[in-house]
Amino acid sequence: MTEQFVDPYEVKGKIDYNRLIKEFGLQKIDKKLLQRIQKHTGELHPMLKREIFFAHRDLNWILDEYEKGNPFFLYTGCGPSGPIHIGHLFVWYFTKWLQDKFDVELYFQFTDDEKFLYKNKSYEEIQTWLEENMLDVIAVGFNPKKTHFIIDTKHAALLYPHAIQVAKKITFSTIKSTFGFNDSTNIGSIFFTSMQTVPSFLPSVLKGKNIPCLIPHAVDQDPHFRITRDILPKLSYYKPASIQSTFLPPLTGNEGKMSSSEAAKGILTTDTPAEIKNKINKYAFSGGKATLEEHRKKGGDPEVDIPFQYLRYLFEESDEKLAQLEKDYKSGKLLSGEMKKYAIEKITDFILKHQERRKKAKDLLPKFILKV
Ligand code: TRP
């Protein structure tokens, strides 16, 4: 088995999230915090109840400030290096829920610089993915009046003066130990964390007062924001808070995360119903037993069953239905082919709706780009 490894540039192995909480120094989202969130949101998002968003930093402080009448802004982002898959989507749909429930501003960063620097891809190709990926973010349904896209290479004049403030406070040694860099790493990559830090205080700059920041993200981004949290008080800004998710597993099984560089491992927002069906049927790791007889007798394992896991992450909103699927699978009443069929239906339905909104996204784009 591959040893667990998590940083922004690589996720490997079967992840033990409790171990990650300890190693990264995160707080678990517990019952008490869930109740506190629910006081404001009325209901809890399934991704909170299901512990998909499982950890945080300073979320209690964010709620303290909110309750005092000092609302936060949300900050999240996307590195445009390939097509958007469902492993990106679930974080953004959750972010939309937060935006709607708390009625707050969202700053959404596109790190085209990062992907150019880290990936073996041309600048032109990254720009094409940037255009494509922005349409997917719009298709999620964020409030155009309260959502602001920051594109690193396009907003460079705005970001750069702040990025150098950050960069001056980070040593090479910190970057090396955080990201495992060495003497062959290109120098753009070494600088990059400064760029990802800027949106966590840019609204404070623009509005001329300190505003709390909450960053929803998958837990692999935490190393960047650990550095951010060290630096911001030195620049007289608040440390950003975060709410962090587990990884949606790749089609092939419960290790690592879905990735845009391996097409066979992901379900894309641009897939046709036939492609979705084919990918699930052909690649999705099943927790079912080898023979029908054995499955009926011993039951399947929803924990490792990819179709079930996708339903759990994003595509089955009803907790009752999910619990029923789990129970029937474990008892052997529900077969793995039936689980796949149901997942295909739910995923297809969701993706088709997303695609409908995506078609209209281009016209909305100017509304989303941050104006300064
Ligand atoms: N580095 C992220 C990626 O590769 C993109 C990103 C930028 C981001 N800012 C963020 C992700 C804030 C989460 C939160 O995808």
Side-chain angles (χ1 to χ4, degrees), residues 171-333:
T171 65
F172 186 25
S173 131
T174 298
I175 292 297
K176 272 202 277 199
S177 62
T178 306
F179 300 110
F181 290 167
N182 57 46
D183 283 358
S184 321
T185 306
N186 74 60
I187 61 170
S189 302
I190 296 163
F191 176 77
F192 172 71
T193 290
S194 326
M195 294 296 284
Q196 186 153 322
T197 291
V198 175
S200 63
F201 65 96
L202 188 69
S204 298
V205 174
L206 296 176
K207 306 234 159 100
K209 59 166 191 209
N210 270 355
I211 311 172
C213 169
L214 174 63
I215 313 177
H217 65 82
V219 65
D220 60 340
Q221 295 297 313
D222 187 71
H224 282 302
F225 297 125
R226 257 169 359 230
I227 297 178
T228 303
R229 285 169 55 85
D230 281 347
I231 306 298
L232 260 52
K234 297 180 187 164
L235 299 174
S236 305
Y237 298 109
Y238 296 130
K239 289 182 183 196
S242 59
I243 181 161
Q244 311 197 11
S245 77
T246 58
F247 306 114
L248 183 119
L251 276 164
T252 45
N254 245 336
E255 290 205 356
K257 63 166 184 173
M258 189 172 279
S259 140
S260 30
S261 34
E262 289 158 282
K265 292 193 174 178
I267 291 179
L268 311 180
T269 60
T270 47
D271 280 345
T272 63
E275 282 167 326
I276 294 169
K277 185 173 175 200
N278 184 44
K279 283 181 182 179
I280 295 283
N281 281 332
K282 197 160 160 194
Y283 301 112
F285 186 86
S286 167
K289 294 288 184 298
T291 64
L292 180 75
E293 206 187 4
E294 199 191 346
H295 189 92
R296 289 279 190 227
K297 210 156 83 199
K298 297 189 184 145
D301 181 0
E303 189 78 20
V304 301
D305 192 87
I306 292 298
F308 177 79
Q309 287 303 321
Y310 289 0
L311 291 165
R312 184 175 83 90
Y313 266 80
L314 182 59
F315 303 105
E316 182 54 73
E317 277 183 27
S318 155
D319 293 325
E320 293 72 38
K321 176 73 188 179
L322 194 80
Q324 191 66 46
L325 290 167
E326 186 173 16
K327 185 165 160 256
D328 290 349
Y329 204 52
K330 278 184 174 160
S331 75
K333 186 174 163 204

Side-chain angles (χ1 to χ4, degrees), residues 113-176:
D113 54 344
E114 174 189 28
K115 296 298 148 173
F116 172 68
L117 291 164
Y118 280 87
K119 300 262 174 180
N120 188 17
K121 291 193 174 166
S122 71
Y123 187 74
E124 289 67 33
E125 183 178 357
I126 297 293
Q127 294 309 301
T128 308
W129 288 121
L130 167 68
E131 297 294 324
E132 289 292 316
N133 293 179
M134 287 194 296
L135 302 182
D136 278 302
V137 176
I138 292 170
V140 171
F142 293 114
N143 180 349
K145 291 205 180 74
K146 295 200 166 189
T147 305
H148 316 282
F149 287 2
I150 300 170
I151 303 159
D152 283 0
T153 62
K154 308 297 171 281
H155 290 94
L158 174 68
L159 302 175
Y160 194 65
H162 304 294
I164 59 173
Q165 302 283 335
V166 176
K168 199 170 180 177
K169 303 256 183 256
I170 309 177
T171 65
F172 186 25
S173 131
T174 298
I175 292 297
K176 272 202 277 199

Side-chain angles (χ1 to χ4, degrees), residues 32-33 35-40 56-72 102 211-214 238-239 241:
K32 215 169 127 208
L33 183 52
Q35 279 166 3
R36 200 172 169 199
I37 296 170
Q38 192 167 8
K39 256 191 8 213
H40 297 286
H56 73 101
R57 293 183 187 273
D58 280 343
L59 194 47
N60 277 303
W61 166 73
I62 283 286
L63 294 171
D64 289 343
E65 290 300 311
Y66 188 81
E67 286 165 13
K68 281 190 249 165
N70 186 23
F72 55 93
F102 288 96
I211 311 172
C213 169
L214 174 63
Y238 296 130
K239 289 182 183 196

